Amino acid sequence: MSISVNSLGPSRRSWSTLAQTQNRNGATTRKHNGVDALPLPQSPAHKSKPHSSSRKLNQRHLPLFIFSFAVFAYVYITQVHVDTNASNQATPAKIIIATSTSKSPDNNDKPELIHIIQTRFMQHQPNLLSLGQARLELFTTFCLPSLEAQLNKIFIWIIRTDPQLHPTLRDKLIKSLRGKPNFILLGSNYNPEGFGRQNSDSYGEFLREDSHKDVSDTAQILSGNITLVQQAFMKSNNGGILLETRLDADDGLHRDFVKTVQSEARHLAESGEELWRIWCINYNVEWHPLDPFPMDAGLKNRKGDEGFLVMYSDPNIW
């Protein structure tokens, strides 16, 4: 935007190149840009008081000078203000594209990683007490200790059990998880995926009790700090790196599992090579109450009182 200023017009007389001089005979001549003009007639006042005319001329110029300076100052200030506003409006907003607005607490330049481990326990089987007690024994012997022993403890473990679980099983389960705020026990038969992602369930739907019930029927919070889940949900929704691990209630994880998979996931996300990946464990140990290879000669004469511990490995799985 520009501002134009009109001239003062022909009614004002310009004094920029007009000056009065006296020749050797005392006659006053007028020069315009250095060229002599016609002599000016001399009046008695000019002869008797040569400085009075100059003083009157200066006084006559003073209002014009003040007016001209005021107009110049006003135009200058206005122009600076308009130019400043125009430059502010013309500068495009800086658009920052990032994979995450949720930053890691230890490094502000890295997106935060959210690791959710989910386990199901006796869903839709609330009153099978004998089966539940056997599964609870496996859970407290293998599954729970393996999560407690993780070298990297920055994760949230969500365990979902039937809302109507038998009180005997429920009380023992709650007691085993006591004092562990990031181990969350929910009374829910609903198993959502895509924790906090924009195309997945909302937080209210994530906490629903059952897929066959209304969303307003929320899960029971039986143990753990549910605020941690809500905060992690929001971070995932804002674009943090999301890791979801499915762990059966009768399985366990190596103590380096969380540390290793988080390290690989962060490296993968920072490289930008892939948008998602599925990891499968290629080494696992299984316990069998009966001989899994009854025809194997090496195991033929072994007693099965303590069961059989078998290691499986598949280097083609990654």
Side-chain angles (χ1 to χ4, degrees), residues 54-67:
S54 177
R55 187 178 299 111
K56 289 181 179 180
L57 186 61
N58 293 336
Q59 292 175 353
R60 183 179 179 183
H61 293 171
L62 185 59
L64 179 61
F65 174 78
I66 295 176
F67 178 80

Side-chain angles (χ1 to χ4, degrees), residues 30-229:
R30 183 172 56 180
K31 285 189 177 182
H32 189 274
N33 289 338
V35 179
D36 288 340
L38 294 175
L40 293 175
Q42 296 295 317
S43 64
H46 264 88
K47 292 180 180 179
S48 59
K49 296 181 180 179
H51 299 290
S52 176
S53 176
S54 177
R55 187 178 299 111
K56 289 181 179 180
L57 186 61
N58 293 336
Q59 292 175 353
R60 183 179 179 183
H61 293 171
L62 185 59
L64 179 61
F65 174 78
I66 295 176
F67 178 80
S68 300
F69 179 81
V71 172
F72 173 79
Y74 171 79
V75 172
Y76 177 79
I77 295 174
T78 304
Q79 185 66 36
V80 170
H81 177 71
V82 171
D83 290 345
T84 302
N85 290 340
S87 63
N88 290 339
Q89 294 175 0
T91 303
K94 188 178 293 185
I95 300 175
I96 302 175
I97 301 176
T99 58
S100 174
T101 57
S102 179
K103 303 300 182 181
S104 174
D106 57 343
N107 192 329
N108 294 330
D109 296 331
K110 295 183 179 180
E112 191 161 1
L113 189 146
I114 302 98
H115 192 176
I116 305 297
I117 301 175
Q118 301 206 52
T119 297
R120 307 174 188 181
F121 183 82
M122 297 296 291
Q123 287 182 321
H124 304 288
Q125 299 173 322
N127 296 316
L128 299 179
L129 187 56
S130 297
L131 178 62
Q133 289 177 334
R135 287 180 173 172
L136 184 60
E137 191 70 22
L138 291 172
F139 176 82
T140 55
T141 302
F142 297 105
C143 189
L144 177 59
S146 74
L147 270 293
E148 292 176 322
Q150 290 299 309
L151 297 180
N152 184 343
K153 300 183 183 300
I154 304 177
F155 63 90
I156 295 177
W157 187 18
I158 299 177
I159 306 161
R160 294 176 181 265
T161 188
D162 196 289
Q164 305 301 322
L165 185 64
H166 193 284
T168 301
L169 300 175
R170 183 190 61 205
D171 294 344
K172 290 181 178 180
L173 188 58
I174 293 174
K175 184 178 179 180
S176 67
L177 299 172
R178 187 173 299 163
K180 304 173 182 63
N182 60 321
F183 292 4
I184 316 297
L185 179 61
L186 301 179
S188 170
N189 285 324
Y190 184 59
N191 301 293
E193 295 181 354
F195 181 84
R197 283 327 199 207
Q198 294 182 358
N199 58 347
S200 63
D201 293 340
S202 65
Y203 182 67
E205 292 174 326
F206 178 81
L207 287 181
R208 67 191 305 174
E209 182 178 298
D210 200 305
S211 59
H212 303 295
K213 295 185 178 181
D214 191 81
V215 178
S216 59
D217 295 328
T218 58
Q220 305 172 35
I221 314 301
L222 301 176
S223 181
N225 185 357
I226 195 62
T227 303
L228 297 177
V229 178

